[in-house]
């Protein structure tokens, strides 16, 4: 049976160099290693966690004013739009691909909150990646690592 849930890999894997949390996709090393053996339910659980963490990080900085505009503009720029996830996740994809080329974010249907309006989009992109890393690592330390302890 072919899985309907694709890998979240973005081609920047750091688990091979010893990271517990991948710097690219934010999965835990054991999830990267065993992904192809996971059931749909296990994959869905991983994807749900990643979506929740990313939505939290992006949602602190941006709101979506016009989802249809965001979707159509991303498609025009040949960016993948996964309609199965919170549209705030699309903002991360947009910033990863185009942060240095976006003139006016509102042209994409997205508005930065007041505290972030004067921050360059490239910095916001980097800040989102950093905070997403931090939250993923904290989740690992809180919920996964204790179960791995050997007494």
């Amino acid at each position: 049976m072919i899985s309907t849930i694709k890998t979240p890999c973005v081609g920047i894997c750091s688990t091979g160099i010893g990271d517990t949390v991948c710097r690219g996709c934010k999965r835990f090393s054991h999830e990267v290693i065993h992904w192809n053996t996971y059931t749909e339910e296990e994959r869905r659980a991983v994807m749900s966690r990643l979506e929740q963490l990313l939505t939290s990080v992006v949602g602190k900085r941006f709101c979506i004013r016009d989802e249809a505009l965001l979707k159509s503009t991303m498609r025009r720029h040949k960016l993948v739009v996964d309609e199965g996830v919170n549209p705030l996740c699309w903002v991360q994809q947009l910033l990863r691909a185009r942060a240095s080329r976006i003139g006016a974010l509102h042209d994409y249907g997205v508005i930065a909150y007041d505290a972030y309006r004067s921050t360059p989009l490239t910095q916001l992109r980097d800040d989102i990646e950093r905070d997403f890393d931090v939250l993923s690592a904290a989740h690992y330390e809180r919920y996964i690592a204790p179960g791995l302890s050997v007494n």
Side-chain angles (χ1 to χ4, degrees), residues 81-134:
V81 176
D82 180 353
E83 295 189 45
V85 300
N86 187 308
L88 285 168
C89 296
W90 306 346
V91 175
Q92 180 213 28
Q93 291 177 279
L94 174 64
L95 293 177
R96 275 183 169 173
R98 302 192 54 82
S100 62
R101 295 176 285 201
I102 295 173
L105 196 57
H106 69 317
D107 291 342
Y108 289 77
V110 178
I111 298 172
Y113 290 121
D114 289 342
Y116 300 100
R117 286 207 176 126
S118 62
T119 306
L121 292 179
T122 52
Q123 181 180 336
L124 288 170
R125 174 201 61 209
D126 296 345
D127 292 347
I128 287 168
E129 289 296 319
R130 183 199 63 237
D131 289 356
F132 193 14
D133 279 333
V134 167

Side-chain angles (χ1 to χ4, degrees), residues 15-110:
T15 60
I17 59 170
D19 285 348
T20 303
V21 178
C22 177
R23 294 179 204 170
C25 68
K26 312 307 186 250
R27 286 179 295 167
F28 308 140
S29 59
H30 66 275
E31 293 170 339
V32 172
I33 292 166
H34 299 292
W35 185 260
N36 289 332
T37 66
Y38 279 9
T39 64
E40 291 289 305
E41 185 177 333
E42 290 167 325
R43 288 180 180 197
R44 197 171 291 110
V46 171
M47 297 303 286
S48 177
R49 181 191 74 239
L50 296 174
E51 179 182 356
Q52 288 172 7
L53 295 177
L54 181 57
T55 299
S56 170
V57 170
V58 174
K60 289 179 182 177
R61 294 167 174 85
F62 300 102
C63 69
I64 296 174
R65 174 182 54 86
D66 186 337
E67 183 178 322
L69 177 59
L70 175 59
K71 185 188 310 182
S72 67
T73 307
M74 287 184 65
R75 286 186 172 148
R76 190 175 71 242
H77 290 294
K78 309 282 191 262
L79 299 173
V80 175
V81 176
D82 180 353
E83 295 189 45
V85 300
N86 187 308
L88 285 168
C89 296
W90 306 346
V91 175
Q92 180 213 28
Q93 291 177 279
L94 174 64
L95 293 177
R96 275 183 169 173
R98 302 192 54 82
S100 62
R101 295 176 285 201
I102 295 173
L105 196 57
H106 69 317
D107 291 342
Y108 289 77
V110 178

